[in-house]
Amino acid sequence: MLSSMNAMQRGGVYILFGGVVSAVGRALKPGVFVDSVDWNNVDGIVQAMADNEVLTHTSAVLYAFGLMFVLTGLNSIRHFVTDQGLVGDMVRGGTLLGMLSLFVIAVLEGFDHMAVRVLDDGIGGSSSMDIAVSMQSAKLGIVLIALPVLYASIGVAGLGGIRLLPGGLHRMVQSIASLVMLATAVLLLMAGSLDSNDFWNAVQTITAIVLALWIIALSHASHSGKVSASTS
């Protein structure tokens, strides 16, 4: 079935599948719903991971695996757009930066595996907890930058691709969603300095809903043959 689709359509399938898998992996991650802990409490997160070793490894693999499919989907979309003007630059540049951000976030899941091993194997002796906390703190710091970059790049790609869609509902949804992605990037940068993750989670939830609606609208336009590869 995938072989009969164009690059844009295949990209939508990859992103949809990868998004569901990564969402499941994220939900299963200790410290989120299981033994829920505020993300500022890094010691608590590490302890929750150590108390649920198998779930930590499983969720990390699922999350990274799902992100790889999303990355593949963005790459398909990037190759679909052939426009040689500003539109093409924005779409290809935005998706490329988004791919790099996703790759970094996926690779960081290795920190979860290692943090659990450090604690369970006693690596570092009496300092094993400090080592694990330092690893998770470093991971959190990178994620706090990588996610805003991801949303900003998606927003730029979306704004550039507006002209590749027909007028009406599809173009309106993409316009609104792209602006929401850019706003999310700014809000997440602000939320990173707050003492609680409540605002961060609220922004992430709203953005996820908007992103899901955007993917549905874009998938409909793609399967209806309404997405152009170029403005010319």
Side-chain angles (χ1 to χ4, degrees):
M1 184 178 69
L2 288 174
S3 61
S4 63
M5 298 179 178
N6 61 36
M8 174 64 77
Q9 293 170 333
R10 291 195 305 273
V13 173
Y14 296 146
I15 290 174
L16 180 60
F17 175 76
V20 171
V21 173
S22 62
V24 171
R26 175 62 182 166
L28 293 176
K29 190 175 293 293
V32 179
F33 292 113
V34 178
D35 295 340
S36 181
V37 182
D38 191 287
W39 60 265
N40 281 315
N41 182 6
V42 182
D43 296 68
I45 293 176
V46 171
Q47 191 58 57
M49 291 166 52
D51 292 341
N52 302 274
E53 180 181 357
V54 175
L55 191 58
T56 297
H57 294 312
T58 302
S59 62
V61 170
L62 282 175
Y63 189 58
F65 182 73
L67 291 183
M68 290 298 101
F69 269 90
V70 176
L71 191 155
T72 303
L74 289 175
N75 188 54
S76 293
I77 293 174
R78 180 171 175 268
H79 285 290
F80 172 79
V81 177
T82 58
D83 190 276
Q84 296 303 306
L86 180 61
V87 168
D89 291 342
M90 292 177 70
V91 174
R92 288 190 296 272
T95 51
L96 177 60
L97 189 55
M99 289 164 59
L100 292 174
S101 302
L102 284 175
F103 180 76
V104 169
I105 294 172
V107 169
L108 288 176
E109 290 304 296
F111 278 65
D112 290 355
H113 288 289
M114 199 59 204
V116 171
R117 287 201 58 189
V118 166
L119 288 175
D120 291 346
D121 297 344
I123 299 175
S126 60
S127 301
S128 59
M129 180 55 121
D130 293 335
I131 295 173
V133 169
S134 296
M135 293 175 64
Q136 284 301 300
S137 296
K139 174 189 174 182
L140 178 60
I142 298 173
V143 169
L144 289 176
I145 294 298
L147 276 180
V149 171
L150 171 63
Y151 285 120
S153 61
I154 293 175
V156 170
L159 288 177
I162 290 174
R163 292 182 59 195
L164 300 178
L165 289 168
L169 180 62
H170 295 105
R171 183 173 288 190
M172 181 182 70
V173 171
Q174 176 138 330
S175 300
I176 295 174
S178 300
L179 293 175
V180 170
M181 296 304 116
L182 293 175
T184 297
V186 175
L187 291 174
L188 289 186
L189 285 172
M190 296 169 55
S193 62
L194 299 179
D195 294 332
S196 172
N197 63 350
D198 291 341
F199 181 67
W200 175 286
N201 288 337
V203 172
Q204 284 271 61
T205 301
I206 295 173
T207 303
I209 294 173
V210 173
L211 190 57
L213 294 175
W214 184 14
I215 292 175
I216 292 173
L218 193 57
S219 297
H220 179 267
S222 177
H223 284 282
S224 301
K226 296 180 179 179
V227 182
S228 303
S230 175
T231 57
S232 59

